[in-house]
Structures are given as C-alpha cells and as structure tokens.
C-alpha cells in the first residue's frame, strides 16, 4: 500500500450493512450455529471485527504479512520480548525509549533475559556485540530525543547472519516515512498512541511481522496474555490512519521550517533534526526514509535547567506535556520530565543536555508556531532574565510536579 488512494480503499465497507465507516463491534462473544461453527469469530479477546480491520490496515501500511493491536505501545513491545526464552540476549539501541528500558531491566531481567545497550548508529559496534545467545536486535530510529539514525539495512544483514530477529520501533518515523520490513527487519512495533492515532486521544500499540509464521506467534501471545486493543480504540485508530499521510507530510514541513529557524537563533546552541544538513546522519536518514518527521530537539547556549524551564513555560501554542505525534504542538524538557529517572552522567553521555527541549511539532500554521517560539525566547531570554521572572518559582514547582 503506497498511495493514499490504496489506503483509503483498503478500509472495507461493512459487509453486513454497507456502512462506510467501520462499525464498532462492541461485543464480548459471538453466537455459534453449532459448537465450533461460527462466522470466524468466537470470543472478542481472540478476534474482533473492528480490531481485525485495523490490524489488516497497519499490516498493509508497513508492508507486513500480519499485524496485531495491543492496549499500549508497551504491551506491543512486551509481546515481542515474549518470543524469547530465559538465557537469550537482546542487543538494544542505547538511548532506548525509557519504558522499554524499564520493561527490559525491571521485568525481563528477572526472567533471565539480558540486554546489551549499544550505540547502534555505529554498525561496527553492533557487529561486535553479537554472542551465540543473541536472539533479538532492538532498534529505534530516529531515537528520542536526539534523533540519532541507525542503518536498518546493514543491521538487518548482521542480525540475519547471526540468526537473530531485528525489531524496529518505528513510532517516530511512521510507515509513511520509513518501512523497516522492506529494509530487512523482521518485526516493527509502534506506539500507535503517537502518529498513527495522531489526535492525542488514545493509548495503543501495534506489532507487525514480515512473515506470517512469526505473526502467528505474536497472535498467540496477544490472545494468551490478553493485552488487546478495545473495539472503540480500534475504531479511533482506523479513523486516525485515514489521514496519516496528510498529517505526517504537514508535521514534517512544519518541523523542517522550525528546525531551520532554531538553527539561526542566537540563543540556541545545537539543533537536532535529521532534515538539517548539519545532522550527523542526514544522508543516512535521506537514504532510508522519505522524510524526517515532526520531532525537533534543541539546546540553549545557557545550558541550564532554569533557562530551559523558563522557555518551556513561555510558549502558548506549544503545550508542556509528555507524548508526541498529535495535531497540537507539544514541548517537553527531558532532563526534568521523560528522562528524569536516568542518572545525570548517562543522560549527558546520550546527548540529553540540561537545557535540551524536545518539540513535537503539530499541525498549526508554520508561521504561528515560529512566532510562538520567538515570543517565548523574548520572554525567557537568558538565565539572568529568567531568575528575575516573577513567575519563575512557580514554573520550577510546576516542572518538578510534572516530573513526578
Ligand atoms: C510512547 C512510546 C512507546 C510506548 O508506547 P505507549 O503507547 O505509551 O505504551 C514506545 N516507543 C516509543 C518510541 C514511544 O515514543
């Protein structure tokens, strides 16, 4: 499925009624004609018609054989880890999503699954990390929040040579920009909470597999462990996917304009956006993706928590919140929010400076977003001015409260 026409018309008209919108089959069970004789559905944890439409749609978008929908992105990640056994090892991207790190470190470690964290932007380092026990390679590309890019095709070749599976968390790129299964990955996961849903109104996750057999294993865990996506959330997600192509295009063009604006701003130190020629992996990003996405991060010349706090509390359109990928622009301060639990030295080593701010660029008019940042810079200014801001104490308390 590559065109929006194909996407829209792959969503079936309801066979029962002709309804053009996918009905929400809000039912727990399905009446059988005789024991085991049914219309393909018996119990709604195992199968639900609304969820089935969603799953086929995402499998098509990612060019996979099968997709399964879960109650959250983390539940989707959890289903993939369940393919492993005690004693198996994972090689994972070092600046991995915090929730995935917690799942590996606090849940699966005690079941005997260990993880090596590697700078996967360096393919040589990945090659050196394989052992006889490596069963899974876990990539995020671009990463959060510094938007590092790993070479999916090269790492897929390595994984295959070592008999390991490659799973790519494709949340940041979305299948509109990047299709890891076509580059050799075996599995794609999404936090569909982000761009796939796109409206900040649901929590959902998806696993897509290149091969049907692997999909059958994921389906087994979906049913056996039960973290399914509800019919209503499946409906919302289908509705979001109908405009995914348009949204991703606009997120990307707004983000490019904002990254270029930030790069020339006198108060800004570094800008992290794969669409800028100054990004260390710009060429790699251009080669493996059709665009650079809607997330832009930057640091301030005054590299302090108070300077960043003042800025993130001075915008009007960019709302201070965790999460990303919705129609409304958001911003967050990783050092005191999403990355607060990471020890300072590790956080700094991963490039998450004290003043780093992450923008999830929404679908507002480009000029309005730039004007919003402009007035926020003017208000927040340097850290000296920040200390003088009467509201600053309150802002600091707000940031601390959010970090909890
Ligand atoms: C948000 C996110 C997740 C977790 O997804 P939930 O839907 O919040 O459970 C996983 N990976 C990435 C890259 C994310 O941004």
């Amino acid at each position: 499925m590559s065109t929006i026409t194909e996407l829209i018309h792959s969503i079936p008209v309801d066979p029962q009624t002709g309804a053009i919108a996918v009905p929400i089959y809000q039912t727990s069970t399905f009446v059988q004609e005789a024991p085991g004789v049914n219309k393909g559905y018996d119990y709604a944890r195992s199968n639900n018609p609304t969820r089935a439409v969603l799953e086929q749609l995402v499998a098509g978008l990612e060019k996979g054989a099968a997709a399964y929908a879960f109650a959250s992105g983390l539940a989707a990640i959890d289903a993939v880890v369940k393919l492993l056994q005690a004693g198996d090892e994972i090689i994972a991207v070092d600046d991995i999503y915090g929730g995935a790190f917690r799942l590996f470190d606090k849940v699966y470690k005690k079941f005997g699954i260990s993880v090596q964290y590697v700078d996967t932007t360096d393919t040589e380092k990945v090659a050196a990390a394989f052992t006889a026990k490596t069963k899974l390679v876990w990539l995020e590309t671009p990463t959060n929040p510094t938007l590092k890019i790993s070479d999916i095709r090269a790492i897929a070749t390595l994984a295959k040579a070592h008999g390991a599976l490659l799973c790519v968390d494709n949340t940041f790129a979305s299948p509109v920009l990047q299709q890891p299964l076509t580059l050799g990955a075996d599995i794609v996961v999404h936090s569909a909470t982000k761009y796939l849903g796109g409206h900040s109104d649901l929590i959902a996750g998806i696993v897509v597999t290149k091969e049907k057999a692997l999909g059958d294993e994921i389906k087994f865990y979906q049913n056996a462990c039960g973290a399914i996506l509800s019919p209503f959330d499946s409906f919302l997600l289908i509705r979001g996917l109908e405009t995914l192509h348009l949204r991703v295009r606009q997120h990307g063009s707004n983000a490019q304009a904002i990254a270029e604006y930030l790069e020339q701003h006198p108060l800004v130190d570094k800008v992290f956006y794969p669409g800028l020629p100054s990004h260390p992996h710009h060429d790699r990003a251009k080669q493996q993706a059709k665009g650079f996405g809607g997330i832009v991060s930057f640091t301030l010349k005054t590299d302090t928590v108070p300077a960043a706090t003042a800025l993130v509390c001075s915008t009007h359109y960019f709302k201070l919140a965790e999460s990303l990928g919705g129609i409304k622009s958001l911003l967050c301060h990783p050092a005191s929010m999403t990355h607060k639990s990471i020890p300072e030295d590790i956080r700094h080593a991963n490039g998450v400076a004290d003043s780093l701010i992450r923008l999830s660029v929404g679908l507002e008019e480009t000029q309005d977003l730039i004007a919003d940042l402009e007035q926020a810079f003017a208000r927040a200014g340097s850290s000296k001015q920040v200390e003088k801001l009467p509201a600053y104490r309150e802002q600091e308390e707000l940031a601390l409260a959010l970090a909890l």
Side-chain angles (χ1 to χ4, degrees):
M1 200 190 299
S2 48
T3 70
I4 195 147
T5 310
E6 286 171 324
L7 169 90
I8 289 169
H9 289 276
S10 72
I11 302 169
V13 168
D14 180 47
Q16 295 297 312
T17 63
I20 196 154
V22 177
I24 301 166
Y25 282 94
Q26 192 70 36
T27 184
S28 60
T29 193
F30 301 85
V31 175
Q32 312 196 7
E33 287 156 43
V37 181
N38 57 47
K39 296 182 162 66
Y41 296 95
D42 52 8
Y43 186 62
R45 170 163 31 74
S46 313
N47 275 303
N48 176 284
T50 314
R51 199 175 80 220
V53 169
L54 167 68
E55 291 172 340
Q56 273 171 29
L57 188 58
V58 183
L61 274 169
E62 284 287 6
K63 302 226 166 24
Y68 294 101
F70 291 84
S72 68
L74 271 173
I77 294 171
D78 180 69
V80 175
V81 183
K82 284 183 171 125
L83 296 169
L84 306 188
Q85 295 184 5
D88 289 349
E89 289 177 8
I90 302 172
I91 295 172
V93 54
D94 55 3
D95 50 353
I96 191 167
Y97 175 71
F101 175 79
R102 182 175 53 201
L103 181 71
F104 292 162
D105 193 56
K106 300 278 191 262
V107 181
Y108 282 102
K109 200 152 120 186
K110 69 179 182 188
F111 293 113
I113 292 170
S114 58
V115 183
Q116 256 194 88
Y117 296 94
V118 173
D119 174 5
T120 56
T121 64
D122 185 343
T123 306
E124 302 279 296
K125 287 191 180 150
V126 181
F130 281 93
T131 74
K133 293 178 176 171
T134 307
K135 290 287 150 52
L136 179 64
V137 180
W138 194 275
L139 290 185
E140 273 172 46
T141 181
T143 60
N144 176 26
T146 55
L147 304 156
K148 292 182 204 155
I149 310 287
S150 297
D151 184 341
I152 298 174
R153 200 187 291 274
I155 294 171
T157 305
L158 284 175
K160 186 156 277 145
H162 288 88
L165 295 170
L166 172 61
C167 180
V168 179
D169 182 333
N170 205 27
T171 300
F172 269 44
S174 94
V176 174
L177 301 183
Q178 175 172 284
Q179 296 173 322
L181 302 181
T182 66
L183 300 170
D186 302 285
I187 307 169
V188 160
V189 299
H190 277 281
S191 170
T193 310
K194 316 291 169 54
Y195 288 105
L196 300 191
H199 294 72
S200 307
D201 55 7
L202 63 93
I203 299 283
I206 303 274
V207 181
V208 192
T209 62
K210 186 157 68 184
E211 305 295 341
K212 184 182 175 301
L214 197 55
D216 290 346
E217 283 187 66
I218 295 292
K219 162 98 190 131
F220 172 81
Y221 292 113
Q222 183 196 39
N223 184 49
C225 304
I228 50 158
L229 193 65
S230 76
F232 182 64
D233 286 343
S234 298
F235 164 84
L236 280 179
L237 197 42
I238 293 166
R239 189 173 151 123
L241 288 168
E242 288 170 344
T243 55
L244 181 68
H245 285 69
L246 287 172
R247 286 187 287 105
V248 167
R249 199 183 300 161
Q250 191 61 32
H251 283 298
S253 70
N254 278 354
Q256 182 76 38
I258 286 170
E260 287 168 9
Y261 157 77
L262 288 170
E263 201 168 43
Q264 53 73 48
H265 198 286
L267 296 178
V268 170
D269 186 22
K270 284 200 205 89
V271 181
F272 302 85
Y273 186 65
L276 292 175
S278 60
H279 187 283
H281 312 127
H282 175 63
D283 290 336
R284 184 183 280 173
K286 222 160 59 181
Q287 214 203 337
Q288 75 183 7
K290 292 197 201 92
F292 308 104
I295 308 297
V296 180
S297 297
F298 62 100
T299 58
L300 302 175
K301 289 228 170 90
T302 308
D303 186 29
T304 65
V305 170
T309 306
L311 190 68
V312 298
C313 294
S314 299
T315 51
H316 297 309
Y317 294 131
F318 283 93
K319 304 292 186 202
L320 182 61
E322 297 191 3
S323 200
L324 56 107
I327 54 170
K328 287 185 186 170
S329 289
L330 302 179
L331 86 179
C332 79
H333 178 231
S336 60
M337 294 168 72
T338 50
H339 289 56
K340 193 181 166 63
S341 60
I342 298 174
E344 195 178 87
D345 51 333
I346 297 178
R347 176 165 61 75
H348 285 165
N350 282 337
V352 185
D354 290 348
S355 68
L356 188 132
I357 291 167
R358 185 191 76 190
L359 306 178
S360 169
V361 180
L363 301 183
E364 300 89 342
E365 293 289 343
T366 323
Q367 287 319 313
D368 292 338
L369 293 177
I370 290 177
D372 189 25
L373 291 171
E374 187 71 24
Q375 66 78 32
F377 278 118
R379 274 177 67 193
S382 70
S383 64
K384 270 215 171 67
Q385 287 165 289
V386 167
E387 279 149 25
K388 284 191 221 135
L389 277 177
Y392 174 61
R393 279 272 132 237
E394 236 172 79
Q395 289 167 357
E396 188 178 44
E397 276 157 27
L398 172 69
L400 286 172
L402 282 167
L404 299 174

